[in-house]
Amino acid sequence: VSLASYNECIKKLAANIGAEVIDFANCGINWGDLSTYLEDGLHPNIAGMQLLCAKAKAKLESDFGYTVESFTPAQTFSITNNLTNVTNSNGSTTAAENTTYSASLTADTGYTLSSVTVTMGGTDVTGTVYNNGVISIGAVTGNIVITASAMLNVYSITNTLTNVSNSNDSVSVNHGNSYSATLSPASGYIMQSVSVKMDGVDVTSNVYDNGSISIASVTGDLIITATATNQTVYGVTNTLSHVTNSNSSV
């Protein structure tokens, strides 16, 4: 069945039931410009729909006396992500006009969000659409640009030492860096207790051995607590005459 004969069938059917026909065959879409007006070679895209609407509008107004209001098709806006050590949960690169847009921004492992800016149509809307890692836009009205960056975490090192010295005097360490130190009791003292906590968790048994602390990758604040006790050694002198002491310690 040819397209022409198919269209004739439509006209005859319409005539039989008393219906009017708007013929879109001559709406302005020609064989030479199909790619301009058709989405997939068959269905009209936005430009094609505009031609069809114009044809229908002219027919309704000229033949039936209707007044048809003009309309503007919904626009499609771009979404651009400028992210440094940050991930956006929403991978969309476009959004239709007046649709909603939501996304969560997450800093990479070992990083903390430091700055976020959201613009829409060239206007900074951060204060109204962003809060605590979440972007929520009720109606998209322009191109969206999301700029976010995260800084590498820097952890504190706290030494709580009693009669003990630490060979490493660092007070901070970057996320993922190693940390090593030697704990030494003061002269005349012996180590009594040592505790090493990282991000609030006791990791002593995994990182401490015989005065040495060795952490391959730091992932939280460090707290090192160590105590040494006095170990003074006194001599024992025996002045005995015809007497034996069972304890031979000196």
Side-chain angles (χ1 to χ4, degrees), residues 7 51 54 78 81 87 110 116 130 147 158 161 165 183 186 225 227 242:
N7 287 338
L51 289 179
S78 63
N81 286 282
T87 301
V116 174
Y130 174 78
T147 303
T158 303
L161 309 176
S165 62
L183 302 181
T225 305
T227 301
H242 306 296

Side-chain angles (χ1 to χ4, degrees), residues 125-149:
V125 294
T126 311
T128 56
V129 305
Y130 174 78
N131 182 50
N132 196 30
V134 177
I135 298 172
S136 181
I137 300 175
V140 176
T141 57
N143 294 328
I144 297 172
V145 179
I146 302 168
T147 303
S149 61

Side-chain angles (χ1 to χ4, degrees), residues 11-34:
K11 292 177 182 179
K12 290 179 180 179
L13 178 60
N16 289 337
I17 62 176
E20 294 291 337
V21 173
I22 299 177
D23 188 357
F24 289 121
N26 299 309
C27 67
I29 301 177
N30 303 306
W31 288 107
D33 52 22
L34 295 183

Side-chain angles (χ1 to χ4, degrees), residues 1 11 14-15 24-25 31 45 61 72-73 81 96 99-100 113 115 144 146 170 188 194 205 221 235-236:
V1 179
K11 292 177 182 179
F24 289 121
W31 288 107
N45 55 21
E61 291 179 339
T72 302
N81 286 282
T99 59
T100 61
L113 278 172
S115 66
I144 297 172
I146 302 168
S170 299
V194 173
S205 61
D221 294 333
V236 179

Side-chain angles (χ1 to χ4, degrees), residues 110-197:
Y111 289 78
T112 300
L113 278 172
S114 56
S115 66
V116 174
T117 302
V118 182
T119 64
M120 184 165 62
T123 301
D124 191 329
V125 294
T126 311
T128 56
V129 305
Y130 174 78
N131 182 50
N132 196 30
V134 177
I135 298 172
S136 181
I137 300 175
V140 176
T141 57
N143 294 328
I144 297 172
V145 179
I146 302 168
T147 303
S149 61
M151 296 179 62
L152 184 67
N153 290 339
V154 178
Y155 304 116
S156 64
I157 302 173
T158 303
N159 285 283
T160 303
L161 309 176
T162 304
N163 301 315
V164 177
S165 62
N166 186 336
S167 64
N168 190 331
D169 59 2
S170 299
V171 295
S172 64
V173 57
N174 289 343
H175 174 87
N177 282 7
S178 62
Y179 176 85
S180 60
T182 300
L183 302 181
S184 303
S187 179
Y189 289 76
I190 61 171
M191 200 72 77
Q192 180 184 34
S193 63
V194 173
S195 170
V196 181
K197 291 184 178 181

